[in-house]
Amino acid sequence: LENWQLDPLNSALDFEPATECQIAAILSNVSRIAILGDFTRGGEGVAIDNIMITQAPVSEQPRYPVDCQKGCPCNRHNPEIIRPTCC
């Protein structure tokens, strides 16, 4: 998780490392996964086959971090507002 980066949505700013709470907020709200690709009859050298997404048993799933349950400041809009998930 240490390689995850937060996009500042501003090309003048650098990406910053994402916090554990930001990552947890994103992963707890996944509603779809898109695998981008194309179909060609020609000779491209990149391939992806047999995609499978499964859920780990509940006993093996990570818990939502306690510190993150307190909420986090909404730095993009108003840092005084605490939300259950980061903006």
Side-chain angles (χ1 to χ4, degrees):
L1 295 177
E2 65 272 356
N3 293 327
W4 286 44
Q5 304 250 329
L6 181 65
D7 183 350
L9 302 176
N10 181 336
S11 59
L13 300 175
D14 292 330
F15 281 58
E16 296 179 0
T19 66
E20 183 180 18
C21 293
Q22 290 167 328
I23 294 169
I26 290 168
L27 293 178
S28 67
N29 290 311
V30 173
S31 60
R32 77 180 198 133
I33 297 173
I35 300 172
L36 304 177
D38 59 350
F39 177 79
T40 63
R41 295 177 190 252
E44 283 191 32
V46 179
I48 186 169
D49 293 325
N50 301 327
I51 304 292
M52 182 183 300
I53 299 172
T54 61
Q55 180 177 343
V58 174
S59 62
E60 296 177 20
Q61 293 180 15
R63 304 285 185 253
Y64 198 78
V66 174
D67 288 342
C68 304
Q69 294 177 22
K70 298 174 186 173
C72 57
C74 183
N75 293 328
R76 287 192 196 156
H77 304 289
N78 184 347
E80 294 178 6
I81 297 174
I82 303 296
R83 297 178 186 252
T85 59
C86 299
C87 299

